[in-house]
Amino acid sequence: MEGIVGAKLLHGSSEVETSKALQGGVVALYFSAHWCPPCQGYTPQLKKVYERAKREGKLFDVIFVSSDRDEASFRQYFASMPWHAVPFSDRAKEQALKMIYQVRGIPSVVLLDGATGSLVDANGRGKVMEPGFVASLPTTQDLALAKLPSPEGPVPVTIYHHGREYEIECEPDEGYEMLRMQIFSVTDIPAEQQRLFGLGQAKGVLNEQVPLPRALVRAMAAQKNTGYKVAGVPKEARKASSNEFPEEQWHAAGGVLTSDPGWGWVHKSKDDNPWYQMDLQEVRKVAGVVLRAGADHVAWVKKFRVCTATTEEGPWDAVDAGREFSGLSGLMLPEVRAIFESPVETRFVRIECLPGGLDRRSLRADVLLADDKDQDKPPTIVVLGNFSADDPFENMEAAQDNAQTKMIEEQHLAMLQAKLSNAQPRLQNQVNSLQGVQRYESRALQKQALAEIPVLGIDESARSSSESYELAFMRGLLRWYKHDFFSWCNAPKCEHCSSGNTKTVGATQPTREEQYFLAGNVEVAQCNLCGLQTRFPRYNDPGKLLETRTGRCGEWANCFTLLCRALGYEARHVHDWTDHVWTEIFSDSLKRWVHADSCEAALDAPLMYEKASVLGKGWGKKLTYVIAFARDHVIDVSRRYTQKFDDLLPRRTEFSEQELQRVLGAISEFSTDRSLVQVPEATASQRRAALERRAKEEQDQLLGRSQEAKEVKAEEQVGRTSGDAEWRSQRGELGATAAAKEKALELSETGLEGSSAPSSAAKAEPEKAPASRDPQAAAKQRFAELVASGLSPNEAALQVIQEAKKAAAEFKPPQRP
């Protein structure tokens, strides 16, 4: 690269050597200037891509090549950039680069191979803005692992599929095709339907462009030091500098690695030197510590030191001369094992949190013992197939556009338009919503979505749940999405000074680039500190939302529904005509569609929105029409979201019920026909039969719900938790009752997943039945009986748990005298 950009570059106000400054991945030459209005709009967007790449450990460098008219302008402009620049004084270099890469306008981006300097893309301005660009970049680990030797002989691999565990032996030289055949032999998932995750790759579908021997090397490196045993320090042997939650509350167990559902220790916000301490009860040989994220907090310990002592009074010695360990990077990501350079004999182990992140940080932790090390765990692969047995589309390649397909679709659309010609405009416009759900079927877009999801962590969480795997996985997905992926935007942060003190002051038209990503309108916010304005495009392209990761309920539901489809769930995008949007997924275990609101981290809580005459305790909305759009059908699901449909009916005055059903039926028929154009006839017939069967079952369920009194769940008695409190109140969604409003404000950070958490009252010890035998032994015996009867281990365990819960509910303690 020195031969291209010169031996020296600028970074901030300092001059650095090019050979040491660049990482060797992908290098972007950014031709831009302060006086250029399009450049001023593009630079903040490029900055977001660059910062995201750095955050994810990607090897991506940017070099600013200035077209400014003087050095003062260059300095002012470069001060807003986090990357390198060609020195402004080297005008000859700027002209030479423009000539070599034929740069005729700005802003312009040229992508180069950082190792060889070869051209990757001379017109990279649009490419770097594509949602999949960051995921395509190499990492430091990729370069380091390339230097390690390939494994010799078969490698044991653990396969996880829908909560079950299998063991296979993988021959590195036989490649991915044979690996998929082996996975089929144990899971019955055909090779073409397998979505594979793991082998040391933290996120994303397994990249099969990496040769299998290299992937196995990476996987074995990821499992290094997993043979150390966890000490299992009990709750009473843990102590901290401070605790955000009182000891008597249920968070008191926070920090225990094996606690369920994994509530973390959180220190107080005014604790300037937070630490978390574990007592081994005796002097042991310690190899290191292990950290996991807590499920109930949005910030984690990102950097830490470890100190040890043989007595609590000290002296405390910093491990490895005060070495700074890298901590947690997100929810549902792999645990962090910090291994010391050499084992330490100690009794007390203290984790000292170092500055970084938010003012309150969380962790779960334990100690790794060095005196009894097992073999490291084998590499792992998580296999996802299709969550719905009736869905033939999941792993079929997307139909290629061709003249015949387009002609057939145009014919179907012409017939639909004829059927709807006399319908009211708002009903006719429902056809447009089909375009949105159709985007979710793009295989390229689904691959980009899967690159963001920590499937391994969500799978581990789902495997330890008593729920069905599909629902437990969805619950983990909702938790990760709300706390670690998407963010709510009342008004955007200032792109000039990064202040959050901004206020929306108006709207403007989208630029051509914003229109490309389906931004229908753009809000404008003004910073109360620097006075400058920031644009907030309301993107409707779910791929773009994978990059921006922010918005309100429209953006939240749009992006989340794409993630559901990418993972293999059948999903619907649900439109509430009183201004809200959410998702539904089909559950094979429940044999029905299940409500999933990503803004609220809510699963199967359909009555949370309404304010009914008697029972309504949720948001306080007065629903009218709730329409669900899937790729191959459309349906009115309003009855699912109301306690009394007869009370809702008088508000549905825009058109007759018969007209609504006629139009939705026509649109649904069109969507079914369009989706089956290139599907084999036998498969199409099976799908039509499944849709008809489901439609009848759903109609019976919805009518049955309308005629029965519906039990209101705890999470359905809470007002809206997402968004600014004042905004929620103005919309009338903060809560239907004072209690619902209070709970909504309390759960503003966690969403509804915290609404069913045990309260402090639940900590009281219940009366115990006189046991005639050891309950644990009885449970083990019952488990063995059920497995012997033919149930799988998972099914047997679930039944044992259900029987125990039923017995506990029916138990009546003896009355006190």
Side-chain angles (χ1 to χ4, degrees):
M1 289 299 299
E2 294 96 322
I4 298 173
V5 298
K8 302 281 188 178
L9 293 172
L10 288 180
H11 190 266
S13 59
S14 303
E15 207 172 59
V16 294
E17 294 181 24
T18 301
S19 59
K20 296 180 180 179
L22 304 182
Q23 297 177 296
V26 174
V27 175
L29 300 181
Y30 178 40
F31 298 85
S32 182
H34 186 265
W35 53 263
C36 167
C39 295
Q40 291 180 9
Y42 187 81
T43 298
Q45 302 305 315
L46 180 60
K47 184 178 178 181
K48 291 177 183 177
V49 174
Y50 176 82
E51 290 174 342
R52 180 183 165 199
K54 294 300 182 183
R55 204 166 49 239
E56 297 186 8
K58 300 291 187 175
L59 299 179
F60 181 51
D61 289 299
V62 177
I63 301 175
F64 172 40
V65 184
S66 173
S67 295
D68 285 301
R69 295 175 177 134
D70 55 67
E71 184 152 0
S73 298
F74 162 76
R75 292 283 179 184
Q76 182 183 356
Y77 193 28
F78 183 47
S80 68
M81 300 177 183
W83 44 69
H84 299 86
V86 173
F88 185 79
S89 57
D90 195 348
R91 296 288 82 196
K93 180 63 67 178
E94 180 236 353
Q95 292 300 320
L97 290 172
K98 282 186 175 180
M99 184 177 297
I100 292 170
Y101 299 111
Q102 300 181 5
V103 176
R104 294 184 173 87
I106 55 174
S108 182
V109 175
V110 175
L111 298 177
L112 305 175
D113 184 314
T116 65
S118 58
L119 180 65
V120 175
D121 194 329
N123 300 295
R125 173 180 168 182
K127 184 180 182 67
V128 298
M129 294 298 161
E130 292 176 359
F133 174 71
V134 172
S136 71
L137 295 169
T139 65
T140 306
Q141 182 191 45
D142 295 332
L143 299 184
L145 292 176
K147 302 175 182 177
L148 297 178
S150 297
E152 297 182 2
V155 177
V157 176
T158 301
I159 305 295
Y160 293 108
H161 172 63
H162 281 210
R164 293 182 174 88
E165 180 179 334
Y166 309 92
E167 299 292 337
I168 64 170
E169 286 198 342
C170 176
E171 290 285 353
D173 296 332
E174 291 182 348
Y176 289 102
E177 185 176 356
M178 180 59 69
L179 173 62
R180 287 182 179 274
M181 291 179 63
Q182 287 181 277
I183 291 172
F184 169 68
S185 71
V186 296
T187 65
D188 292 331
I189 304 298
E192 65 274 11
Q193 295 184 9
Q194 297 169 8
R195 296 174 182 83
L196 306 183
F197 305 84
L199 288 188
Q201 188 177 313
K203 294 191 294 186
V205 175
L206 202 56
N207 182 5
E208 295 186 23
Q209 292 181 347
V210 176
L212 183 56
R214 291 287 92 208
L216 288 168
V217 168
R218 178 185 62 206
M220 290 187 288
Q223 296 293 74
K224 187 178 180 181
N225 297 318
T226 55
Y228 287 116
K229 292 186 178 179
V230 176
V233 179
K235 168 190 159 185
E236 57 272 13
R238 295 166 180 261
K239 184 182 289 189
S241 57
S242 65
N243 193 338
E244 180 66 20
F245 306 101
E247 181 67 23
E248 66 272 11
Q249 289 190 359
W250 55 279
H251 288 83
V256 179
L257 198 64
T258 56
S259 63
D260 186 19
W263 306 110
W265 161 72
V266 184
H267 67 78
K268 290 184 179 294
S269 58
K270 294 182 179 180
D271 187 348
D272 295 330
N273 298 293
W275 51 262
Y276 187 78
Q277 178 179 305
M278 292 165 282
D279 179 4
L280 296 171
Q281 310 294 314
E282 61 180 347
V283 173
R284 304 286 298 273
K285 187 178 288 187
V286 174
V289 294
V290 56
L291 274 66
R292 290 182 188 168
D296 58 338
H297 200 63
V298 297
W300 305 277
V301 174
K302 295 186 176 181
K303 296 179 181 179
F304 65 95
R305 270 194 307 263
V306 180
C307 294
T308 61
T310 54
T311 66
E312 192 168 7
E313 293 76 22
W316 289 88
D317 298 318
V319 171
D320 297 345
R323 173 183 169 191
E324 184 179 290
F325 291 95
S326 296
L328 302 159
S329 57
L331 188 63
M332 298 294 181
L333 289 178
E335 66 187 19
V336 171
R337 288 184 169 237
I339 305 301
F340 308 154
E341 291 179 0
S342 58
V344 176
E345 291 194 358
T346 187
R347 172 177 169 177
F348 294 91
V349 178
R350 180 178 288 183
I351 296 171
E352 296 184 350
C353 310
L354 299 177
L358 299 180
D359 60 351
R360 289 187 305 151
R361 284 150 291 173
S362 169
L363 61 72
R364 293 189 290 152
D366 215 311
V367 176
L368 297 174
L369 300 176
D371 47 10
D372 191 15
K373 185 177 185 292
D374 293 333
Q375 284 189 339
D376 287 339
K377 296 177 182 178
T380 61
I381 295 176
V382 172
V383 183
L384 294 183
N386 186 352
F387 280 102
S388 176
D390 285 332
D391 191 348
F393 296 91
E394 291 305 337
N395 297 282
M396 296 173 57
E397 287 300 321
Q400 297 295 318
D401 288 336
N402 55 51
Q404 183 179 5
T405 302
K406 289 182 177 179
M407 182 182 70
I408 294 173
E409 184 168 327
E410 288 173 359
Q411 290 174 347
H412 286 163
L413 184 59
M415 289 188 289
L416 175 63
Q417 289 171 338
K419 289 180 180 179
L420 304 184
S421 59
N422 61 347
Q424 291 192 28
R426 187 167 189 183
L427 282 178
Q428 292 187 36
N429 290 338
Q430 298 306 300
V431 178
N432 298 331
S433 297
L434 288 178
Q435 299 302 322
V437 294
Q438 195 63 30
R439 292 187 196 100
Y440 305 144
E441 304 309 305
S442 163
R443 289 297 175 263
L445 198 56
Q446 289 185 6
K447 186 176 181 180
Q448 292 167 15
L450 291 173
E452 306 293 345
I453 306 172
V455 168
L456 275 68
I458 298 176
D459 170 79
E460 182 181 8
S461 173
R463 280 188 274 119
S464 63
S465 172
S466 59
E467 276 188 303
S468 68
Y469 181 85
E470 61 182 347
L471 294 178
F473 194 99
M474 176 54 61
R475 202 174 294 280
L477 180 69
L478 282 163
R479 181 183 299 140
W480 163 79
Y481 186 82
K482 180 173 178 67
H483 292 319
D484 202 23
F485 187 72
F486 225 74
S487 65
W488 188 269
C489 181
N490 294 303
K493 283 186 177 181
C494 178
E495 65 184 13
H496 307 283
C497 70
S498 300
S499 169
N501 187 6
T502 61
K503 183 178 181 180
T504 301
V505 294
T508 187
Q509 293 299 311
T511 64
R512 182 181 302 176
E513 184 176 326
E514 290 164 344
Q515 288 176 333
Y516 178 79
F517 294 111
L518 308 179
N521 66 296
V522 178
E523 296 176 10
V524 177
Q526 183 148 353
C527 180
N528 293 324
L529 292 184
C530 71
L532 298 178
Q533 292 186 339
T534 297
R535 300 168 67 88
F536 176 32
R538 302 300 304 275
Y539 292 119
N540 286 299
D541 182 340
K544 185 64 174 178
L545 295 175
L546 289 172
E547 174 196 324
T548 62
R549 304 184 185 187
T550 191
R552 302 193 194 113
C553 56
E555 290 93 342
W556 277 68
N558 190 356
C559 188
F560 185 75
T561 308
L562 167 64
L563 297 184
C564 293
R565 290 295 301 121
L567 286 164
Y569 287 95
E570 281 196 73
R572 290 169 169 173
H573 195 233
V574 184
H575 299 199
D576 158 28
W577 286 20
T578 60
D579 197 22
H580 192 45
V581 197
W582 58 85
T583 307
E584 287 184 347
I585 53 117
F586 190 80
S587 164
D588 274 15
S589 63
L590 297 179
K591 302 187 185 306
R592 62 176 174 84
W593 288 90
V594 176
H595 154 260
D597 190 323
S598 57
C599 298
E600 307 292 291
L603 183 65
D604 203 14
L607 300 181
M608 58 187 273
Y609 306 112
E610 196 182 44
K611 178 181 181 179
S613 56
V614 179
L615 298 175
K617 298 179 181 179
W619 288 23
K621 291 170 73 73
K622 293 184 177 180
L623 301 175
T624 55
Y625 301 92
V626 183
I627 313 298
F629 296 85
R631 59 149 185 267
D632 58 3
H633 64 279
V634 180
I635 183 173
D636 176 7
V637 291
S638 304
R639 290 178 183 268
R640 178 173 292 122
Y641 296 94
T642 180
Q643 294 167 319
K644 291 188 177 182
F645 186 71
D646 289 344
D647 290 349
L648 179 149
L649 200 54
R651 299 195 290 271
R652 292 161 64 105
T653 58
E654 292 195 42
F655 18 75
S656 69
E657 294 299 303
Q658 292 78 10
E659 177 71 354
L660 174 66
Q661 295 308 317
R662 182 185 75 82
V663 171
L664 293 186
I667 298 175
S668 186
E669 182 181 356
F670 164 74
S671 66
T672 303
D673 291 341
R674 183 179 65 175
S675 69
L676 298 174
V677 166
Q678 289 198 349
V679 174
E681 184 176 348
T683 303
S685 297
Q686 292 175 358
R687 180 60 177 174
R688 288 184 189 276
L691 288 174
E692 290 172 5
R693 185 191 74 248
R694 281 192 191 170
K696 183 180 184 307
E697 292 172 350
E698 186 169 20
Q699 189 69 9
D700 291 342
Q701 291 166 1
L702 294 179
L703 288 173
R705 285 179 63 88
S706 297
Q707 295 167 2
E708 297 174 1
K710 302 172 187 176
E711 181 182 352
V712 181
K713 304 173 185 176
E715 56 267 38
E716 294 171 328
Q717 302 179 45
V718 182
R720 183 170 191 160
T721 65
S722 55
D724 178 77
E726 182 179 355
W727 177 81
R728 285 179 270 165
S729 181
Q730 289 173 349
R731 289 168 58 95
E733 297 173 349
L734 188 55
T737 65
K741 293 177 181 178
E742 182 181 353
K743 196 68 176 175
L745 293 172
E746 177 188 335
L747 299 175
S748 291
E749 286 191 13
T750 64
L752 288 187
E753 65 175 294
S755 65
S756 56
S759 65
S760 58
K763 294 296 291 182
E765 288 293 329
E767 291 278 354
K768 296 181 180 179
S772 57
R773 57 175 175 161
D774 180 6
Q776 188 173 4
K780 288 182 178 179
Q781 180 179 337
R782 178 61 176 151
F783 175 81
E785 292 171 355
L786 292 171
V787 171
S789 71
L791 293 182
S792 71
N794 272 5
E795 292 167 336
L798 180 58
Q799 185 162 331
V800 169
I801 292 170
Q802 290 172 339
E803 289 175 358
K805 288 181 176 179
K806 183 178 179 182
E810 294 175 350
F811 169 65
K812 296 182 179 179
Q815 294 187 358
R816 297 181 183 276

